[in-house]
Amino acid sequence: MKTQLIKDILVSAPDGREVTVYGWVRTKRETKNLVFIQVNDGSCFASIQVTLDRDRGITEETEAQLKRISTGASIEATGLLIPSPASGQAVEIQGLAITVLGEAPVETYPLQKKNHSLEFLRDIAHLRPRTNTFGAVARMRSQMAYAIHVFFQERGFNYVHTPIITASDCEGAGEMFQVTTLDLEQLAKAPTTKVDFSRDFFGKPANLTVSGQLEAETYATAVSRVYTFGPTFRAENSNTTRHLAEFWMIEPEVAFYDIYDNMDLAEEFIKFLIRWALEKCPQDMQFFNDRIQPGLIETLTHVLNSDFIRISYTEAMVELEKNAVKFEFKPYWGCDLQSEHERYLTETVYKKPVIVTGYPKEIKAFYMKLNEDGKTVRAMDMLVPGLGEIIGGSEREENLETLEGRITELGLNPEDYWWYLDLRRYGTVPHSGFGLGFERLLLYVTGMGNIRDVIPFPRAPKLAEF
Ligand code: 4AD
Ligand code: MG
């Protein structure tokens, strides 16, 4: 590589050799003879200090460059790597020459030294990665994505790329963004009220995917273990701290797995990811622990060392109905679990992750395996403190007739699912899978409070800037 990253320089021996760093100035501080510059390149949480000493002589050229340096300026700095006399840093650079690559005028650069609110930073999402918080989030996001691939690749899963544009609605909830090349202006003026989709790009209505599950199932019933990891889209009008219109989802799908194997996999997966965060990202995690959510590391360590609770929907309902007064939405058997219910179970009752199974079929998707009681399905949702649902999954209905029945019952057309039904017609097997919302995982691991702060450029109702 042409340049050296600050994270590598910071852990190398301060043997007096000459080094050059590139980055953005966090702060510049001057005394009569000394100039201290903190340079950060985002490769790690810490900045490196470049110290210039006028007693040792600074060239006129470097003096001129120093005048142009303020917070946010980009620089190239060369000097000798020496042990640092200052506390909190092992090494520093005894500066010899500095070149400003780009100034950041104090009058207009929005990121000055003071702490900015997360709300303010959301409006400058193109500059926020230069802050401590968003630099840390960016590195965590990358590390967690890497960890996800490691987890599955080590366990014989194949990474499958499911389509972004699809003609099916996996969740059957109708919350989809339509994809079309039809001229909407023209259509608005047309005398007819019926749209002729045969003239559209795909010859029929198409949309952005809400989940890669159905297509993942086709590969799981061929190569046994698969996972998808890609963007998904939901046109639900939810303006909350846990919902995005565009989010990333990880969906493993495993042939020959039942709901219990599925729960074991989900628990092992979450623990693997937490352990990865704690072991591979100690500096960033320390920052989240100190500045974002006090006690985060202790809480996550506790989660690592405990068994997740597993209860049925019916058991959960008993617990919730006992405490009905606590809820705005009164719980009753048959209702979908509201966020307040989920959080009560995981935060107040059990105080750790909880996996709820056996939901009423009416509130779950068509593909979930029907239990013997004919009323509940083998769904599993994992709930975690501070967040509620982080994972949703199920054992899949592998019986052709039952599945066709469920599709019809829910007002969907079996013909639209002909290829999905073929998986049950030919060599059907029990199989299971789940979806983990990547941004929900990041909220959980970093302790950040708003999902819009753990994705670089959030998309939500009326929000598509950048
Ligand atoms: O529970 P969901 O809707 O399940 C599915 O889509 C299944 N097809 C998954 C599967 O079995 N393969 O979504 C799964 C997870 C949720 O638990 C949540 O973490 C996340 O995706 N999620 C969202 N994250 C951010 N914004 C939204 N609007 C989300 N909707 C779901
Ligand atoms: Mg769900």
Side-chain angles (χ1 to χ4, degrees):
M1 304 301 283
K2 191 184 131 197
T3 56
Q4 239 192 320
L5 291 172
I6 289 173
K7 74 167 179 174
D8 297 325
I9 296 177
L10 281 171
V11 295
S12 62
D15 52 9
R17 72 180 186 282
E18 191 173 301
V19 292
T20 299
V21 293
Y22 299 84
W24 294 265
V25 171
R26 282 295 171 80
T27 58
K28 184 182 82 171
R29 208 158 48 79
E30 280 190 60
T31 63
K32 187 156 165 286
N33 294 326
L34 296 169
V35 185
F36 304 100
I37 302 169
Q38 294 285 340
V39 189
N40 187 287
D41 67 356
S43 60
C44 63
F45 190 84
S47 302
I48 195 162
Q49 181 170 295
V50 180
T51 308
L52 293 112
D53 187 346
R54 293 201 168 93
D55 287 341
R56 289 173 185 273
I58 300 183
T59 65
E60 241 168 68
E61 176 51 26
T62 294
E63 280 291 2
Q65 295 287 320
L66 282 173
K67 291 200 177 60
R68 300 171 62 205
I69 293 180
S70 56
T71 297
S74 50
I75 63 167
E76 173 184 338
T78 300
L80 310 179
L81 192 67
I82 57 165
S84 177
S87 72
Q89 54 191 30
V91 305
E92 65 175 56
I93 294 174
Q94 195 182 92
L96 299 172
I98 293 197
T99 307
V100 174
L101 305 174
E103 292 181 21
V106 180
E107 307 77 49
T108 51
Y109 184 58
L111 293 175
Q112 294 305 327
K113 280 178 239 170
K114 66 177 176 344
N115 277 331
H116 297 291
S117 74
L118 296 173
E119 288 76 17
F120 169 78
L121 293 173
R122 236 167 265 149
D123 289 338
I124 48 165
H126 59 306
L127 295 174
R128 67 179 181 171
R130 297 186 191 184
T131 63
N132 278 338
T133 305
F134 288 91
V137 169
R139 286 183 297 273
M140 287 303 295
R141 203 176 153 100
S142 174
Q143 274 295 323
M144 287 293 102
Y146 180 37
I148 284 159
H149 287 294
V150 171
F151 178 84
F152 288 120
Q153 295 291 335
E154 280 179 349
R155 287 163 180 75
F157 284 67
N158 292 289
Y159 180 29
V160 176
H161 297 108
T162 52
I164 303 290
I165 299 175
T166 162
S168 53
D169 176 4
C170 173
E171 294 305 298
E175 291 167 331
M176 299 174 299
F177 288 100
Q178 194 163 344
V179 176
T180 181
T181 52
L182 292 173
D183 184 338
L184 299 182
E185 296 280 358
Q186 206 66 43
L187 282 179
K189 289 183 208 135
T192 150
T193 53
K194 217 163 162 45
V195 177
D196 179 7
F197 281 105
S198 70
R199 290 174 42 242
D200 203 350
F201 190 91
F202 298 104
K204 58 178 172 179
N207 51 272
L208 295 177
T209 189
V210 296
S211 158
Q213 179 196 323
L214 303 190
E215 290 89 352
E217 283 185 55
T218 67
Y219 276 77
T221 52
V223 299
S224 297
R225 297 181 194 174
V226 300
Y227 68 105
T228 69
F229 183 6
T232 50
F233 308 85
R234 298 206 182 170
E236 48 191 337
N237 199 14
S238 304
N239 251 312
T240 78
T241 54
R242 308 180 313 137
H243 288 91
L244 288 167
E246 176 180 303
F247 63 98
W248 286 62
M249 185 153 56
I250 302 99
E251 297 181 274
E253 193 68 36
V254 196
F256 317 108
Y257 260 35
D258 64 17
I259 186 77
Y260 303 101
D261 305 319
N262 206 26
M263 286 193 270
D264 291 343
L265 180 68
E267 181 168 339
E268 187 186 344
F269 185 39
I270 292 296
K271 285 178 172 170
F272 179 91
L273 296 175
I274 292 176
R275 191 172 300 116
W276 188 286
L278 294 172
E279 285 174 6
K280 314 264 182 187
C281 321
Q283 279 186 8
D284 290 323
M285 287 303 292
Q286 195 62 49
F287 166 78
F288 290 120
N289 183 76
D290 296 345
R291 302 294 298 277
I292 302 291
Q293 191 185 108
L296 177 68
I297 291 177
E298 196 191 324
T299 305
L300 292 177
T301 307
H302 169 68
V303 168
L304 272 188
N305 298 318
S306 55
D307 290 333
F308 293 7
I309 300 289
R310 298 180 184 194
I311 54 166
S312 71
Y313 170 91
T314 302
E315 287 167 322
M317 234 356 113
V318 170
E319 204 56 58
L320 293 170
E321 282 177 325
K322 271 200 303 209
N323 297 284
V325 287
K326 297 208 167 75
F327 307 114
E328 204 172 308
F329 185 102
K330 298 298 167 212
Y332 60 91
W333 200 98
C335 80
D336 203 356
L337 291 189
Q338 307 297 307
S339 171
E340 55 174 336
H341 304 150
E342 293 175 344
R343 294 189 56 174
Y344 182 79
L345 288 171
T346 184
E347 287 166 20
T348 309
V349 184
Y350 299 107
K351 297 185 172 61
K352 53 178 160 172
V354 178
I355 307 178
V356 184
T357 51
Y359 284 74
K361 64 176 180 180
E362 286 77 14
I363 57 172
K364 288 292 182 187
F366 70 88
Y367 51 72
M368 297 190 180
K369 185 176 171 68
L370 195 63
N371 276 319
E372 292 72 30
D373 62 12
K375 292 195 302 196
T376 58
V377 287
R378 293 197 188 169
M380 52 160 252
D381 278 6
M382 184 189 290
L383 319 176
V384 295
L387 208 58
E389 180 186 341
I390 191 168
I391 282 179
S394 72
E395 184 169 339
R396 320 305 188 189
E397 184 56 71
E398 88 271 21
N399 179 281
L400 179 64
E401 286 74 35
T402 316
L403 183 57
E404 277 175 331
R406 288 289 294 139
I407 291 176
T408 314
E409 210 170 84
L410 288 164
L412 303 167
N413 184 357
E415 278 171 27
D416 293 343
Y417 295 91
W418 66 272
W419 55 272
Y420 186 68
L421 291 167
D422 266 3
L423 307 180
R424 280 70 182 169
R425 258 180 212 112
Y426 311 118
T428 190
V429 291
H431 62 288
S432 301
F434 61 81
L436 166 67
F438 188 45
E439 288 74 21
R440 299 239 176 125
L441 169 76
L442 285 166
L443 285 178
Y444 188 45
V445 169
T446 62
M448 294 289 288
N450 192 322
I451 200 161
R452 296 178 189 195
D453 296 334
V454 294
I455 189 166
F457 301 104
R459 268 79 183 99
K462 306 282 181 291
L463 182 69
E465 191 65 42
F466 307 106

